[in-house]
């Protein structure tokens, strides 16, 4: 595998994946990205120009997608509208990008026989009870809650149908919540870190008992590369690093880092349809593909992430005011 097309490679996880490829492989990468509000060209700055190029374009535009897919050995498909709150305010772009975009890539992969890895989310399974110890596995039935997760669930179904009916050479991974550098300030961890840097208070939805299963983005990248190169065609792999924490716990760690009192946060209006708990059983990935996370100490990873945001204020500052204005208008 020499030439890789990475859709959404200017977003949070896609950009980290491209950095991972530059550091750990010899592949050449073309990033296809529409450069929405969530993208940052800066995240690709400094990468070797003889190995990474950027095409600005829409995954839902087959005239753009088809020749690019034809010219690459494999596609890793990250591009998506990714934020649940936005999907509740304006679902339309989630249908176009997450469903039509995946359809366009599948059709191109079918025409040209190109290998495709589809990046998905644990949210397709809906949520788990707080008091339960059950975790999601590859056999858990789909039960998405939000327009975002429903569109991602639909995109997974499209991939499986194209594998079965047309023989497309595809795999799927469903990962839990990522954290790390280059994550947009609309998301939970960067929002709270930057609130505190600004002298404000973290904003916690509802009572703050919702649980997310945190994984460092670098571990997600290594898992995707392993599945792309060693995964079985047609298979789905769940990706997680046993990082369950409730939101109050995460906020307490951020406040402690800054020497602020543990109760120095606001409880705000809850998200509609807010999923209670996600938890991943990654046994299949660990045993079949011998994958292990390398950043499983969440407190340590969070500290490095906080330091990264302290050092990259120039990057997040331009997005902060507009993001907070949107949240404030919703009572959040
Ligand atoms: P992000 O919002 O940070 O980045 C998305 C990227 O896709 C942006 O660069 C954006 O410009 C690009 N994009 C959006 N619409 C596009 C279009 N029509 N054509 C081309 N490019 C387009 O998202 P992220 O958090 O990096 O998530 C990446 C992928 O990983 C998504 O598929 C998401 O569902 C999945 N995922 C995310 C998480 C998480 O915790 N963030 C966890 C599991 C899975
Ligand atoms: O599980 C994987 C998913 O993780 C990905 O598919 C999504 O793309 C990604 O955005 C993320 O979804 P969540 O909705 O879980 O992430 P978010 O960062 O928006 O919220 C995490 C938790 O924090 C959730 O319980 C909602 C809560 N929250 C969020 C924000 C922005 C707050 O309490 N306060 C906030 O200000």
């Amino acid at each position: 595998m020499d030439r890789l097309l990475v859709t959404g490679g200017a977003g949070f996880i896609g950009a980290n994946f491209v950095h991972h490829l530059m550091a750990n492989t010899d592949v050449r990468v073309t990033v296809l990205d529409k450069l929405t509000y969530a993208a940052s060209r800066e995240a690709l700055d400094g990468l070797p120009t003889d190995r990474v190029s950027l095409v600005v374009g829409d995954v839902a535009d087959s005239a753009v997608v088809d020749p690019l897919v034809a010219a690459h050995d494999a596609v890793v498909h990250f591009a998506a509208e990714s934020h649940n709150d936005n999907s509740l305010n304006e679902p339309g772009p989630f249908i176009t990008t997450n469903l039509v975009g995946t359809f366009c890539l599948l059709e191109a992969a079918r025409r040209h026989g190109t290998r495709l890895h589809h990046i998905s989310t644990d949210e397709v399974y809906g949520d788990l009870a707080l008091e339960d110890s059950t975790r999601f596995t590859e056999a858990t039935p789909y039960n998405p809650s939000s327009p975002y997760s429903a569109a991602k669930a639909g995109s997974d179904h499209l991939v499986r149908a194209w594998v079965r009916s047309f023989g497309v050479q595809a795999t799927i991974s469903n990962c839990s919540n990522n954290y790390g550098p280059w994550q947009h300030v609309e998301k939970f961890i960067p929002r709270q870190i930057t609130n505190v840097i600004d002298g404000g208070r973290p904003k916690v939805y509802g009572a703050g008992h919702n649980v997310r299963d945190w994984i460092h983005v670098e571990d997600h990248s290594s898992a995707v590369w392993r599945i792309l190169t060693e995964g079985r065609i047609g298979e789905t792999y769940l990706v997680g690093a046993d990082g369950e924490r409730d939101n109050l716990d995460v906020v307490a760690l951020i406040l402690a880092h800054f020497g602020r009192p543990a109760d120095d946060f606001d409880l705000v209006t809850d998200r509609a349809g807010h999923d209670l708990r996600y938890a991943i059983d990654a046994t299949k990935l660990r045993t079949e593909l011998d994958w292990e996370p390398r950043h499983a100490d969440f407190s340590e990873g969070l500290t490095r992430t906080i330091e990264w945001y302290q050092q990259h204020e120039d990057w997040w500052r331009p997005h902060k005011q507009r993001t907070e204005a949107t949240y404030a208008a919703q009572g959040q």
Side-chain angles (χ1 to χ4, degrees):
M1 199 173 298
D2 180 39
R3 295 161 310 163
L4 210 57
L5 181 65
V6 177
T7 75
F12 163 47
I13 306 174
N16 276 284
F17 180 66
V18 176
H19 280 267
H20 178 85
L21 294 177
M22 293 305 109
N24 296 286
T25 75
D26 295 324
V27 295
R28 288 177 288 151
V29 171
T30 304
V31 169
L32 169 61
D33 199 296
K34 192 179 170 184
L35 298 183
T36 69
Y37 80 96
S40 45
R41 272 176 190 271
E42 306 94 307
L44 302 174
D45 283 351
L47 292 173
T49 50
D50 58 335
R51 290 183 63 201
V52 181
S53 59
L54 170 66
V55 174
V56 179
D58 190 336
V59 287
D61 181 350
S62 54
V64 172
V65 164
D66 193 74
L68 282 171
V69 171
H72 290 80
D73 303 317
V75 182
V76 182
H77 177 34
F78 289 95
E81 289 290 339
S82 70
H83 195 40
N84 277 297
D85 294 319
N86 294 344
S87 82
L88 296 163
N89 291 332
E90 193 188 355
F94 290 75
I95 303 303
T96 310
T97 292
N98 301 3
L99 281 167
V100 180
T102 304
F103 163 71
C104 286
L105 283 162
L106 284 166
E107 282 291 83
R110 169 155 88 113
R111 274 190 292 270
H112 303 293
T114 311
R115 169 89 169 86
L116 174 79
H117 180 69
H118 176 60
I119 303 293
S120 194
T121 168
D122 58 0
E123 294 194 18
V124 298
Y125 301 113
D127 60 357
L128 300 159
L130 290 179
E131 61 281 2
D132 195 355
S133 60
T134 309
R135 300 192 292 171
F136 298 135
T137 73
E138 288 78 4
T140 304
Y142 275 42
N143 186 28
S145 310
S146 74
Y148 161 69
S149 48
K152 291 297 291 189
S155 70
D156 293 7
H157 291 316
L158 291 178
V159 174
R160 290 206 184 89
W162 262 243
V163 169
R164 175 159 174 163
S165 299
F166 303 124
V168 166
Q169 302 287 295
T171 42
I172 300 174
S173 54
N174 297 77
C175 188
S176 58
N177 285 63
N178 287 220
Y179 72 101
W182 303 111
Q183 190 169 28
H184 194 279
V185 289
E186 69 189 352
K187 301 295 200 297
F188 179 59
I189 286 181
R191 183 182 186 205
Q192 314 315 341
I193 292 171
T194 53
N195 278 357
V196 178
I197 290 174
D198 277 348
R201 284 157 66 98
K203 308 290 180 194
V204 178
Y205 294 172
H209 298 307
N210 306 67
V211 172
R212 295 296 181 265
D213 189 353
W214 294 100
I215 180 172
H216 195 276
V217 65
E218 174 63 19
D219 285 330
H220 189 183
S221 292
S222 70
V224 169
W225 179 249
R226 186 67 57 90
I227 297 163
L228 181 70
T229 52
E230 295 177 32
R232 286 185 291 139
I233 297 302
E235 291 293 315
T236 290
Y237 297 88
L238 263 56
V239 183
D242 302 331
E244 279 187 73
R245 300 252 174 186
D246 77 17
N247 294 338
L248 291 178
D249 191 11
V250 176
V251 161
L253 285 170
I254 294 171
L255 287 167
H257 179 92
F258 288 92
R260 298 256 297 260
D263 61 352
D264 199 5
F265 61 85
D266 296 323
L267 294 178
V268 298
T269 308
D270 206 354
R271 172 184 285 171
H274 194 176
D275 280 340
L276 290 173
R277 172 174 163 257
Y278 305 141
I280 290 272
D281 178 349
T283 301
K284 179 177 176 182
L285 176 64
R286 286 174 185 263
T287 53
E288 270 191 24
L289 301 185
D290 198 24
W291 173 85
E292 286 291 334
R294 295 181 58 194
H295 305 272
D297 182 339
F298 178 74
S299 303
E300 216 268 313
L302 184 64
T303 297
R304 281 189 291 116
T305 304
I306 292 171
E307 289 165 356
W308 189 90
Y309 279 87
Q310 288 174 312
Q311 291 155 9
H312 291 78
E313 187 170 339
D314 287 355
W315 172 72
W316 57 261
R317 175 66 60 201
H319 306 284
K320 182 69 179 165
Q321 198 176 357
R322 199 175 61 123
T323 302
E324 287 306 318
T326 304
Y327 278 128
Q330 299 165 181
Q332 293 179 321

